[in-house]
């Protein structure tokens, strides 16, 4: 009886893992196709996986963006989203994904092309949408890493592994994203030598980006 129960549990876990991989792959495919709004919505309005994955907003993690007119504004906004999003695996379950949210003026990030009643560059709004979708996908990919116990792209350093996976799918990676962690910056400088100086210069001018500190209740952002 014990052997049968163990086999049934192993089969159930295999099905659950397969469903997780299929779900995450569908979202990253949207991202690779340039559908940032669709990808973000996919990852933040996910099915409950029969209690296996809990997706929720982090209490108080909402940023009201009054201005999005410069790279500095964009970096501050993406830093907020990344620092307040997390993935937490749970024993016996897949885990919890926590998402930070933001709006530009009175307009939710996904609602309109312009900045609503706030000062915003439409180009930077699109870049922020892309970064928000990448951050959402990143958290789900960390659950995949934890669930399978295997790297996504053959790299043991988890943050660099996510970057390499995104790169392999053809998903555009900003310098801000690449310099969020030292291991990721090192991977970016080595794998994309044409951007090595850009990555180094950005990292030096945004020194805190290399040491974001631990996140409460989460694995990483």
């Amino acid at each position: 009886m014990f052997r049968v129960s163990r086999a049934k549990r192993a089969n159930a876990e295999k099905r659950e893992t397969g469903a997780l991989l299929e779900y995450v792959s569908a979202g990253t495919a949207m991202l690779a196709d340039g559908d940032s709004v669709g990808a973000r919505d996919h990852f933040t309005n996910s099915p409950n996986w029969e209690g296996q994955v809990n997706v929720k907003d982090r209490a108080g993690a909402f940023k009201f963006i009054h201005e999005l007119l410069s790279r500095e504004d964009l970096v501050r906004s993406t830093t907020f989203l990344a620092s307040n999003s997390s993935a937490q695996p749970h024993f016996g379950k897949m885990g919890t994904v926590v998402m930070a949210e933001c709006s530009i003026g009175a307009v939710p990030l996904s609602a309109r092309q312009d900045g609503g009643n706030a000062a915003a560059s439409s180009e930077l709004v699109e870049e922020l949408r892309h970064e928000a979708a990448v951050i959402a996908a990143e958290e789900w990919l960390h659950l995949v890493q934890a669930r399978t116990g295997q790297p996504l792209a053959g790299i043991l350093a988890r943050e660099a592994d996510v970057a390499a996976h995104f790169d392999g799918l053809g998903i555009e990676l900003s310098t801000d994203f690449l310099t969020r962690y030292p291991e990721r910056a090192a991977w970016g400088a080595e794998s994309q030598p044409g951007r090595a100086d850009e990555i180094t210069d950005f990292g030096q001018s945004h020194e805190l980006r290399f040491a974001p500190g631990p996140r409460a209740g989460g694995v990483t952002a």
Side-chain angles (χ1 to χ4, degrees), residues 27 30-31 35-43 133:
M30 293 181 195
L31 194 50
D35 184 6
S36 299
V37 172
R40 175 79 178 181
D41 183 67
H42 176 81
F43 285 119

Side-chain angles (χ1 to χ4, degrees), residues 9-94:
R9 180 57 192 160
N11 287 333
E13 289 181 352
K14 185 176 181 179
R15 288 194 300 271
E16 290 164 0
T17 301
L20 176 65
L21 292 171
E22 183 177 350
Y23 176 76
V24 174
S25 294
T28 54
M30 293 181 195
L31 194 50
D33 288 340
D35 184 6
S36 299
V37 172
R40 175 79 178 181
D41 183 67
H42 176 81
F43 285 119
T44 56
N45 296 287
S46 61
N48 192 266
W49 296 101
E50 297 180 355
Q52 291 299 303
V53 179
N54 180 26
V55 182
K56 61 183 181 179
D57 295 336
R58 182 168 178 172
F62 185 90
K63 183 175 179 64
F64 186 90
I65 302 171
H66 294 277
E67 186 172 273
L68 188 63
L69 294 173
S70 68
R71 291 289 157 189
E72 287 72 21
D73 294 336
L74 180 64
V75 169
R76 281 193 293 270
S77 300
T78 57
T79 298
F80 172 85
L81 290 175
S83 298
N84 288 282
S85 299
S86 64
Q88 178 64 64
H90 299 310
F91 178 76
K93 295 184 178 181
M94 292 186 189

